[in-house]
Amino acid sequence: DIQMTQSPSSLSASVGDRVTITCQASQDISKYLNWYQQKPGKAPKLLIYDASNLETGVPSRFSGSGSGTDFTFTISSLQSEDIATYFCQQYDNNPLTFGGGTKVEIK
Amino acid sequence: QVQLVQSGAEVKKPGSSVKVSCKASGGTFSSHAITWVRQAPGQGLEWMGRIIPVIGTGNYAQKFQGRVTMTADKITNTAYMELSSLRSEDTAVYYCARGLYDSSGFILVYWGQGTLVTVSS
């Protein structure tokens, strides 16, 4: 199975800050990497697919980049409604695997 | 717009089975995979497998092989996930999900609300 190492596991930032989360795959997964946001008690929500494509309706402050084994997810200006846990997910190989998650809090 | 509505919470005894349903509305049911993902309390997301209704056979994670069965009813547009030989570690929220950009269920755009399964004696 492909291991997805996500870091940090948690972070605290101020409103307006730039926030960056990384995800590293244990082997080359090309661009087959998605990012999800999950708020407490809710199902995950797709934000970015294929490493850098913004899902329809998702604010442009969210972005993704990378290919191969190293990927980055960025919130350019953190808003209070962005408080959530973020997960990366690869789909280059079965089984689909997820990163451990990054919990984002407001400082 | 696709909507996925799951069955309600369940409490089960160790060793028993649970069957969770996921009813789809909107979109084309048969040709898009329904993927099942679970999340233990306070933990991350774990892929269990998927089924493409028009094909009818499930593709399961190795971890669940022999314990999980995924089925789909093309008449009622409902997918099912049955997990047997339950143990306390199976306590989790179980989600069904579906793609939009791909029929294989790898990019999960639509999600059910989740079904809490509690395994306790």
Side-chain angles (χ1 to χ4, degrees):
Chain A
D1 298 2
I2 296 176
Q3 307 303 314
M4 304 301 295
T5 303
Q6 193 175 332
S7 61
S9 56
S10 65
L11 66 89
S12 183
S14 300
V15 171
D17 281 356
R18 184 180 186 87
V19 167
T20 298
I21 298 168
T22 64
C23 193
Q24 186 171 59
S26 60
Q27 65 188 66
D28 190 335
I29 59 169
S30 185
K31 65 172 185 176
Y32 302 121
L33 189 284
N34 306 320
W35 290 96
Y36 298 86
Q37 175 193 66
Q38 187 179 33
K39 296 185 176 180
K42 299 293 186 182
K45 174 186 175 183
L46 179 71
L47 299 181
I48 303 286
Y49 64 96
D50 287 349
S52 61
N53 293 310
L54 192 67
E55 169 63 351
T56 303
V58 173
S60 59
R61 64 180 180 274
F62 295 101
S63 65
S65 64
S67 66
T69 60
D70 295 301
F71 300 85
T72 300
F73 172 81
T74 300
I75 307 173
S76 61
S77 177
L78 185 69
Q79 303 301 304
S80 56
E81 60 265 33
D82 300 337
I83 300 314
T85 300
Y86 295 84
F87 295 94
C88 60
Q89 171 238 322
Q90 69 79 25
Y91 66 97
D92 182 59
N93 268 6
N94 259 0
L96 275 65
T97 48
F98 294 85
T102 296
K103 186 173 184 179
V104 174
E105 298 175 320
I106 294 287
K107 194 182 291 184
Chain B
Q1 183 74 353
V2 173
Q3 271 199 310
L4 302 174
V5 178
Q6 298 182 224
S7 49
E10 304 258 16
V11 179
K12 293 292 183 180
K13 299 283 189 193
S16 67
S17 299
V18 67
K19 191 170 186 176
V20 179
S21 68
C22 172
K23 184 171 176 59
S25 60
T28 304
F29 178 75
S30 291
S31 59
H32 277 73
I34 295 288
T35 292
W36 291 89
V37 173
R38 77 177 186 179
Q39 186 172 37
Q43 301 301 309
L45 301 166
E46 182 173 33
W47 182 79
M48 299 181 69
R50 63 182 184 134
I51 182 166
I52 301 176
V54 69
I55 297 175
T57 53
N59 166 219
Y60 308 133
Q62 182 76 19
K63 174 177 179 175
F64 300 103
Q65 288 277 0
R67 280 213 301 147
V68 70
T69 304
M70 295 176 187
T71 56
D73 183 336
K74 297 187 293 291
I75 305 297
T76 61
N77 286 358
T78 303
Y80 299 91
M81 186 283 300
E82 184 169 22
L83 189 63
S84 62
S85 302
L86 290 169
R87 36 219 190 217
S88 59
E89 310 89 87
D90 294 318
T91 294
V93 175
Y94 290 77
Y95 293 101
C96 61
R98 208 205 85 163
L100 169 63
Y101 306 107
D102 69 308
S103 60
S104 302
F106 296 149
I107 304 172
L108 302 170
V109 175
Y110 305 110
W111 291 73
Q113 82 276 21
T115 297
L116 175 62
V117 175
T118 303
V119 182
S120 173
S121 53

